[in-house]
């Protein structure tokens, strides 16, 4: 029997105003953050384990690996549909929670099927690339697309839930707490996965790797699903203000890709800043598919050791996010903070390449911690600056447009990393040079982004962009 998503003590009076819906407390904010922690844990499986196994152990071409994995990001526009569905069609008696639960169950199940296809693709390559290999590669891309659909089915209604259970005076705090838990999930996921894969020695037989990785993909998705349930059960019923909010809100889940591109290129300043953010995203995430294979091929690290690299990067990022918001940005200003972060990212990427010349795993770990810190500084500065470059009347639309465009940029970054690695391996003499090419291009791209950042003018934006964005939204309504 369907249950209502409005609790008995949260009825509205005749004027439509809430009489007794409680505000979410800090404890509930951290509890909601468990959902983001689950997504962080799951990201380790795809971009911390499978990429390493496919490229290093199964010898699948890096471009094929990156392209297949990136499919879960390329399907991001479907979040629009799931956002609209959760607005209008309750699932399991709830507007948001039902979608979160069903989506979480699906991405946990699909992830296990993905790893089974990975084995079939790898085994088919033992006699060279064949038509059978092409079939398995296509199926893997399809499964990762389904994985992305499942992620969107849960994460978009979850984002809408955060809006539903919060008010203007506590929403920024809620979002800050919840999204910081994503990085905590990446760290915890790396530690858990590394522990479960510790029995796999370097150059272990494929049968041993298959058994241990299958075990990992049974345990960790189960943990992630449990965290999604623990995060959301009872929250919507107790805290949601959805039924009282009849006015449409321009959230991320209502922004189409076409509208996103129009909004982000509405004026000279929005176009400049959007291009900067695009280049920044490419630079920060090109290594997603190739980092763990770099540790395996150049540093001779085991699968457990390369998976744990994500914990070092995540720890650095978490420290960078925290210190930037409280110490660095208030002192340097948002634009100077972003500039500092970009320079630091470029330097750290070169250090990562230099680490390869030593083949010292500790050197790589510390360089990734520094890279994570620099990424945290850059991201915090850039996102803070973005809020300044947002007309208040269209804030939801602008931020939603960037959220959708960023997802596509991350997908392109993942594919680009694999493509550059493939290219490097085809004409460079050593693996270090091939991987070094990826990191060097990342450094060049972030410096190009830095050049665009110098052209960003908040005053010009506030003078011209507001009217330009408003005209686009009016044309959409027409």
């Amino acid at each position: 029997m369907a249950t209502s998503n409005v609790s008995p003590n949260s009825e509205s009076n005749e004027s439509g105003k809430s009489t007794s819906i409680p505000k979410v407390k800090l404890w509930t904010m951290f509890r909601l953050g468990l959902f983001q922690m689950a997504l962080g844990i799951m990201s380790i499986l795809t971009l911390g384990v499978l990429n390493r196994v496919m490229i290093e152990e199964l010898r699948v071409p890096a471009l094929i690996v990156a392209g297949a994995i990136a499919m879960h990001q390329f399907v991001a526009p479907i979040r629009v549909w799931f956002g609209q569905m959760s607005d209008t069609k309750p699932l399991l008696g709830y507007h948001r929670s039902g979608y979160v639960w069903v989506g979480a169950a699906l991405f946990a199940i699909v992830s296990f099927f993905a790893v089974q296809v990975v084995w079939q693709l790898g085994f088919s390559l033992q006699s060279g690339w064949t038509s059978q290999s092409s079939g398995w590669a296509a199926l893997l891309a399809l499964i990762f697309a389904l994985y992305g659909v499942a992620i969107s089915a849960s994460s978009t209604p979850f984002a809408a839930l955060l809006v539903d259970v919060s008010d203007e005076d506590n929403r920024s705090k809620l979002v800050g707490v919840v999204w910081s838990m994503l990085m905590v999930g990446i760290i915890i996921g790396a530690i858990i996965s590394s522990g479960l894969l510790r029995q796999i020695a370097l150059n272990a037989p494929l049968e041993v790797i298959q058994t241990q990785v299958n075990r990992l993909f049974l345990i960790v998705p189960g943990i992630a699903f449990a965290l999604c349930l623990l995060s959301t059960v009872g929250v919507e019923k107790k805290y949601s203000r959805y039924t009282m909010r009849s006015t449409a809100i321009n959230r991320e889940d209502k922004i189409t890709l076409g509208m996103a591109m129009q909004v982000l290129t509405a004026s000279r300043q929005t176009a400049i800043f959007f291009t900067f953010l695009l280049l920044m995203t490419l630079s920060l995430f090109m290594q997603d598919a190739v980092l763990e294979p770099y540790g395996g091929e150049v540093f001779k690290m085991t699968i457990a050791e390369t998976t744990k690299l994500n914990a070092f990067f995540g720890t650095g990022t978490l420290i960078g996010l925290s210190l930037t918001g409280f110490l660095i940005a208030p002192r340097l200003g948002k634009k100077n903070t972003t500039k500092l972060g970009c320079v630091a990212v470029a330097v750290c990427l070169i250090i990562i390449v230099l680490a390869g010349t030593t083949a010292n795993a500790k050197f790589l770990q510390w360089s990734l911690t520094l890279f994570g810190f620099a990424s945290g500084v850059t991201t915090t500065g850039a996102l803070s600056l973005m809020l300044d470059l947002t007309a208040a009347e269209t804030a939801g639309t602008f931020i939603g447009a960037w959220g959708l465009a960023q997802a596509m940029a991350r997908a392109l970054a993942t594919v680009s990393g694999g493509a550059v690695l493939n290219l490097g391996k085809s004409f460079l003499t050593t693996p270090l040079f091939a991987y070094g090419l990826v990191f060097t291009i990342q450094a060049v791209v972030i410096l190009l982004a830095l050049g665009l950042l110098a052209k960003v003018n908040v005053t010009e934006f506030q003078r011209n962009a507001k009217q330009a964005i408003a005209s686009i939204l009016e044309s959409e309504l027409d």
Side-chain angles (χ1 to χ4, degrees), residues 389-451:
L389 293 169
T390 302
E393 294 82 354
T394 55
T397 301
F398 189 85
I399 294 172
W402 165 239
L404 186 54
Q406 187 194 40
M408 304 303 289
R410 284 202 64 171
L412 288 172
T414 302
V415 174
S416 299
V420 171
L421 179 59
N422 257 25
L423 181 65
K425 285 189 172 183
S426 67
F427 72 87
L428 294 174
T429 55
T430 67
L432 173 59
F433 289 164
Y435 286 99
L437 182 63
V438 178
F439 300 122
T440 302
I441 289 178
Q442 285 182 262
V444 171
V445 170
I446 199 73
L447 292 177
L448 292 175
L450 184 61

Side-chain angles (χ1 to χ4, degrees), residues 176-321:
V177 169
V178 169
W179 257 260
S180 67
M181 295 287 278
L182 176 67
M183 200 55 60
V184 174
I186 290 174
I187 296 169
I188 292 175
I191 294 171
I192 292 174
S193 299
S194 177
L196 291 172
L197 297 173
R198 192 168 292 158
Q199 297 178 33
I200 303 177
L202 194 64
N203 300 318
L206 279 180
E207 292 76 14
V208 174
I209 297 174
Q210 183 177 7
T211 300
Q212 295 301 320
V213 172
N214 280 346
R215 175 169 162 260
L216 175 73
F217 274 75
L218 280 172
I219 295 173
V220 172
I223 293 173
F225 176 65
L227 287 173
C228 291
L229 291 180
L230 184 60
S231 169
T232 52
V233 168
V235 171
E236 182 174 353
K237 185 176 182 180
K238 183 175 180 179
Y239 296 104
S240 178
R241 290 136 169 83
Y242 173 80
T243 55
M244 301 181 304
R245 293 172 175 170
S246 57
T247 57
I249 301 173
N250 284 320
R251 291 189 308 262
E252 178 183 340
D253 56 11
K254 292 192 178 291
I255 307 299
T256 65
L257 186 59
M259 184 190 292
M261 295 306 298
Q262 289 183 62
V263 168
L264 293 169
T265 56
S267 71
R268 178 177 177 273
Q269 280 299 312
T270 56
I272 289 172
F273 192 67
F274 165 63
T275 307
F276 160 74
L277 289 173
L278 174 63
L279 292 176
M280 185 192 82
T281 302
L282 285 171
S283 177
L284 293 183
F285 297 106
M286 270 184 69
Q287 84 288 341
D288 265 358
V290 305
L291 177 61
E292 289 76 14
Y294 179 53
E297 196 166 354
V298 176
F299 294 82
K300 307 304 178 186
M301 301 169 72
T302 65
I303 296 176
E305 289 170 338
T306 57
T307 301
K308 204 170 182 178
L309 290 174
N310 292 277
F312 291 94
F313 175 78
T315 300
T317 304
L318 201 55
I319 295 171
L321 292 171

Side-chain angles (χ1 to χ4, degrees), residues 49-50 52-54 57-58 60 111-126 136 140 197 200 205-217 303:
V49 177
L50 281 190
R52 156 69 195 264
V53 170
M54 283 194 281
E57 273 70 29
L58 298 178
V60 180
S111 66
F112 183 76
F113 283 112
V115 78
Q116 304 315 309
V117 176
V118 163
W119 301 129
Q120 296 304 318
L121 173 59
F123 295 146
S124 73
L125 289 173
Q126 291 181 351
W136 285 118
L140 184 62
L197 297 173
I200 303 177
L206 279 180
E207 292 76 14
V208 174
I209 297 174
Q210 183 177 7
T211 300
Q212 295 301 320
V213 172
N214 280 346
R215 175 169 162 260
L216 175 73
F217 274 75
I303 296 176

